[in-house]
Amino acid sequence: RSPIAGTVSKQEAEIGEIVSANSNVISIISENNLEIEANIPEINIGNMAAQNPVTIEFDALLNEKFAGKVVEIEPGETIVDGVVNFKIVVAIDLLDPRVKSGFTSGLTIETGKKENVLILPRYAVFKKNGKYFVNQPISNNKIEETEITLGISGRDGNVEIVSGLSLGDIVLEEKK
């Protein structure tokens, strides 16, 4: 008897066959609770939290997005190719019957979200002596370095400007 309702996906033994103790002879896939396991690099795990929303894209279902959430973050590390990672588990909110066990997926995990903030492209910001600056034009074709404070970074290449600039200020691309 199985403790869950599901579909038998593998049967490794036949009636009358002798099997060793603690060996898996039958695999069952749950009908309701497919989960995705992913390894998150050490540098990003500090931003993760249970219940973070996740957008899931399956390679087999092109141009479709599914919602989910982080349901578990393992406390111990997992070494993958010599790099420290942490395993997370993502639950899919509404299971589509087309989603199958073993599908390859891409995850976009939302670790922070702010609205109505001042943003700039990251390439317009430069670091000098441990502080962040932007170039602003002043009179007579001169440029002034203005110190700014950064907030969160988006995956789209933009960064939040917490202080140092106001809406409508002109900023030049960083001088190379």
Side-chain angles (χ1 to χ4, degrees):
R1 292 190 176 260
S2 172
I4 63 168
T7 303
V8 174
S9 62
K10 286 185 185 175
Q11 182 175 341
E12 302 289 338
E14 300 294 327
I15 294 175
E17 188 176 339
I18 298 174
V19 295
S20 23
N22 295 323
S23 62
N24 291 329
V25 292
I26 294 178
S27 294
I28 299 176
I29 299 172
S30 171
E31 292 176 349
N32 302 320
N33 300 321
L34 285 183
E35 296 177 330
I36 300 167
E37 291 183 354
N39 290 314
I40 303 297
E42 175 184 16
I43 193 165
N44 295 326
I45 199 66
N47 296 326
M48 298 285 156
Q51 304 305 312
N52 279 146
V54 179
T55 301
I56 305 161
E57 296 180 74
F58 294 102
D59 291 351
L61 303 172
L62 295 175
N63 301 319
E64 292 192 53
K65 295 183 180 188
F66 298 83
K69 64 180 170 275
V70 175
V71 292
E72 182 181 340
I73 301 171
E74 288 191 4
E77 77 280 359
T78 301
I79 306 297
V80 177
D81 296 329
V83 177
V84 175
N85 284 268
F86 291 83
K87 187 173 286 184
I88 66 165
V89 177
V90 173
I92 304 169
D93 288 347
L94 296 172
L95 192 59
D96 185 306
R98 297 172 299 157
V99 175
K100 306 292 183 208
S101 174
F103 272 8
T104 303
S105 62
L107 305 176
T108 302
I109 303 169
E110 187 178 298
T111 58
K113 183 176 183 176
K114 291 185 177 180
E115 294 181 4
N116 300 316
V117 296
L118 186 61
I119 61 170
L120 277 178
R122 181 68 177 96
Y123 64 79
V125 177
F126 62 96
K127 194 172 186 177
K128 185 173 165 183
N129 299 326
K131 297 180 180 182
Y132 292 98
F133 294 87
V134 293
N135 289 319
Q136 290 191 281
I138 54 174
S139 61
N140 299 329
N141 293 328
K142 295 189 183 219
I143 296 173
E144 176 180 70
E145 293 179 352
T146 304
E147 184 178 348
I148 58 171
T149 304
L150 300 181
I152 63 174
S153 296
R155 68 183 280 219
D156 59 359
N158 290 327
V159 291
E160 175 191 11
I161 306 302
V162 176
S163 66
L165 292 174
S166 298
L167 184 63
D169 286 350
I170 297 173
V171 173
L172 303 174
E173 183 176 341
E174 179 205 355
K175 290 189 301 187
K176 304 282 181 201

